[in-house]
Structure formats: structure tokens, C-alpha cells
Amino acid sequence: MSHLIEINGLKKTFPVYGKTGKIFSQKEYMCAVDNLSFYIEEGETYGLVGESGCGKSTTGRAIVGLTKADGGSILYKGKDLCKLNDKQFRPLRKEIQMVFQNALSALNPRRRIGDILGEILEIHGMKDADERREQVIETLKKVGLSEEHYFRFPHELSGGQVQRLGIASALIIGPRLIVCDEPVSALDVSIQAQILNMLIELQKELRISMLFISHDIGVIRFISDRIGVMYLGTLTEEASTETLFANPLHPYTKMLFDAVPDPYITNREFHALTGEQPVRTQAFQGCAFYNRCPYASDRCKIETPEFKEVESGHKVACHMVS
Ligand code: SF4
Ligand code: MG
């Protein structure tokens, strides 16, 4: 397997404002993503897991070109996506697609499903209306919808069907990589399982790669080949799914696993997550997890731990782990 996409030292900052104006001096920015590096192989599902606000979605949006990164690189087919302008990025849109948590909000409510999907094909150069119709119906079937949905409106679908439609609109132009940002988080557990199984099947059939973003460690475990645990804009641990669950090393990963109330998933006692992520400013130093870590020492406060490989394919950023 070779790397389909490689993210190196990615950085994205936002200016920070409070309710009564700026809470920091004018030069303060919050780092949503800081020095983030990982790669995704051909045909692989890489799961990005972490609490809300850790920078997962910003990372996904940077990869699909919806957010411009401030630093670092995203290498795809020898091109750095961060350096492309909109026009240069356009041909790659076809290859890198996104599925959102709420697909309905991204769909035009006044248009029929067949027209919505057909328009995507038209924008990407499919001129023949019959050909488009055929392709739309084929895609609807792929995601478990049917020809009968062609003339329906998005609001006539159930929550699960809407997400299937969101997946159809990402798949219809034949991408190489899909970024799924919490695509099942708003659904009932039984529907979640159906959609996840469908994604796994489709991925095998179409040989696409996936970046799967979720706060739900159970979902991430189910779907991912490798997992990156993200905290405060950067990775704290990365390993194959099997290794991460057999041997979690970072205190944050352990805390995440302990917060899952399902003994079949973790075999551990349940402890709710405590503490909050601080704001990561540009002047940030030390370990990102310092204020919540039960093992924190003085060194952790001033010295940022290196994200290093501790065994083959298993990386950890913690002074305590070597
Ligand atoms: Fe905890 Fe220190 Fe390790 Fe950070 S570096 S996770 S504060 S022990
Ligand atoms: Mg998010």
C-alpha cells in the first residue's frame, strides 16, 4: 500500500473573540490545528477521534479545501493542496469529497433528489441527460436507496436515508478519498450500524480511502484500520485499531476509553471524562494534556513531548512513555 494523502505539520489558527469583544490582545490567535501530521494509505480508513473542539472537523475541511490552512502541507498526487487556489483545486474536488453530519443542510430543499445528484454530474462535465439519470439511479441503489427516490424531495426522507443521500452525493463522481465528518452521530444506534456497514462494503467495492472523523470511540473502532487520537489540535497517539485497543499508552487515550460505558468495548471501569480542553494559543508550550493529566510533572508544563514511535506503527506524545 502507498500513501494516498500525506498531512505534514498542518496548522490552522482563528482569531479569538469573547462575548465582550476580544478576550486576548489583538495578536492572539487560537490554534485549532497545530503541527498535525498523518497519512492515509490507498484503500485505508483512518479514524480521527477526540472530543468536540479538538480540531477534527477543521482538519477534514482543510483536506477537502473548505478551509485554508495557515501552515504545513497536504500532499496529494505530488501536489500540496494548501498551495492551490480555488481554480487549481477544482479538478481535485472530484477526487476528494466530504460527507457531513447533517447532510440535509447541504441539500437544496426545493429540488428533487434526482436533480440534486444529476447537477453534480453536470458540473463535473457529464453532458448527456440520459447518462446522468442512469448514473444517479445506479448511485442511489449503491447507497441503499432506490429508483423510486429519484423524484422525491430530501425532506421526505428519514434521517438515515438523508445520510445515505449525503454519501451518494459524495460518491457519485467517483472520488479516491472521502472525508466523513461525524456522518452517523445524529442517528439511532441501529441505523448507525446499517450506515457504517454500508460504508465498509462500498469502500471495499470502490477501493476508496476514508478519513472518518468522530467523537465516538466505538464507531471509530468499528470502521477504522488505523486511528489517530486528537487532542487540542494535534495527535497524542496513533496506532492500528488492534494495537490501540490492546495497548493504549497515552493518558488521554486511556481516559477516552474509560469514558465509554460499554464493557464490551473497553473491559474497563467507566469513568466520565473530567476537565476541559484549554485554549491553545500561539504561545502555547508544554504538553497539551497537562491540566487534565493525572501523571503530569513539572517537565510536562514547559516541554512539549515529541510525537515519537514507540513500537512499529505506534506513536505517542508523552514524556512518561518511551
Ligand atoms: Fe501527562 Fe506529562 Fe504525558 Fe502530557 S507528557 S500526557 S502531562 S505525563
Ligand atoms: Mg466537529
Side-chain angles (χ1 to χ4, degrees):
M1 281 206 262
S2 58
H3 299 183
L4 177 72
I5 195 161
E6 221 178 277
I7 290 95
N8 293 306
L10 194 72
K11 183 169 185 166
K12 176 67 189 174
T13 58
F14 295 101
V16 187
Y17 299 92
K19 277 187 187 144
T20 52
K22 289 179 177 175
I23 54 170
F24 293 106
S25 69
Q26 280 207 316
K27 281 184 193 135
E28 280 299 358
Y29 286 87
M30 177 198 144
C31 298
V33 176
D34 200 7
N35 198 20
L36 178 72
S37 304
F38 65 97
Y39 62 85
I40 306 174
E41 290 178 342
E42 296 266 6
E44 179 183 50
T45 297
Y46 188 92
L48 209 47
V49 69
E51 289 162 276
S52 86
C54 72
K56 309 185 294 293
S57 297
T58 305
T59 305
R61 293 174 68 84
I63 291 173
V64 299
L66 288 173
T67 290
K68 200 113 200 95
D70 303 325
S73 61
I74 301 173
L75 298 177
Y76 178 80
K77 288 192 172 169
K79 288 191 181 117
D80 181 358
L81 303 184
C82 297
K83 294 211 170 76
L84 304 182
N85 60 32
D86 278 356
K87 199 175 158 208
Q88 293 164 322
F89 203 108
R90 216 166 290 147
L92 294 173
R93 280 262 139 79
K94 207 169 160 14
E95 301 186 26
I96 306 174
Q97 284 286 307
M98 188 148 183
V99 177
F100 299 92
Q101 176 172 359
N102 182 3
L104 197 57
S105 63
L107 300 167
N108 185 340
R110 280 190 290 271
R111 305 208 60 197
R112 293 179 196 276
I113 289 165
D115 295 332
I116 292 173
L117 295 177
E119 191 180 71
I120 300 173
L121 291 173
E122 201 176 354
I123 289 168
H124 286 91
M126 196 182 273
K127 299 281 174 253
D128 187 88
D130 290 338
E131 213 182 314
R132 287 201 301 268
R133 191 187 143 88
E134 208 171 291
Q135 173 103 27
V136 167
I137 291 170
E138 194 187 310
T139 309
L140 285 173
K141 287 180 181 163
K142 262 194 192 125
V143 298
L145 296 170
S146 67
E147 194 166 350
E148 183 230 333
H149 293 103
Y150 192 95
F151 292 106
R152 298 263 197 94
F153 290 97
H155 70 262
E156 294 180 273
L157 302 182
S158 69
Q161 286 174 329
V162 165
Q163 288 312 96
R164 286 175 191 270
L165 180 58
I167 294 164
S169 65
L171 287 182
I172 196 160
I173 43 172
R176 301 298 313 134
L177 172 71
I178 52 172
V179 174
C180 299
D181 188 3
E182 307 267 9
V184 297
S185 299
L187 305 173
D188 290 345
V189 175
S190 62
I191 311 286
Q192 281 192 2
Q194 288 172 15
I195 305 265
L196 293 175
N197 281 320
M198 181 190 79
L199 277 172
I200 291 171
E201 287 302 313
L202 283 172
Q203 188 194 20
K204 271 192 223 141
E205 184 192 325
L206 307 171
R207 286 189 223 95
I208 42 180
S209 301
M210 252 200 299
L211 173 62
F212 197 97
I213 295 169
S214 179
H215 68 281
D216 186 327
I217 192 77
V219 166
I220 285 285
R221 182 185 197 179
F222 187 74
I223 201 153
S224 310
D225 299 307
R226 284 189 306 129
I227 296 173
V229 181
M230 203 167 169
Y231 187 79
L232 211 63
T234 198
L235 287 185
T236 53
E237 186 159 7
E238 179 187 70
S240 70
T241 303
E242 211 182 353
T243 302
L244 191 73
F245 278 85
N247 188 23
L249 295 174
H250 196 281
Y252 178 59
T253 312
K254 294 180 187 176
M255 196 190 260
L256 266 187
F257 287 4
D258 288 349
V260 179
D262 182 349
Y264 296 103
I265 290 177
T266 63
N267 266 324
R268 291 184 182 85
E269 238 176 281
F270 171 60
H271 297 286
L273 280 174
T274 53
E276 265 179 38
Q277 292 180 93
V279 172
R280 189 182 191 107
T281 63
Q282 285 189 302
F284 188 89
Q285 59 168 20
C287 173
F289 196 49
Y290 176 79
N291 73 324
R292 294 169 80 181
C293 182
Y295 312 103
S297 67
D298 288 347
R299 181 186 177 197
C300 307
K301 194 174 182 178
I302 45 173
E303 203 184 308
T304 306
E306 195 193 328
F307 190 47
K308 56 180 187 291
E309 194 159 47
V310 290
E311 57 180 321
S312 175
H314 192 172
K315 286 181 167 182
V316 188
C318 174
H319 292 310
M320 218 180 53
V321 182
S322 53

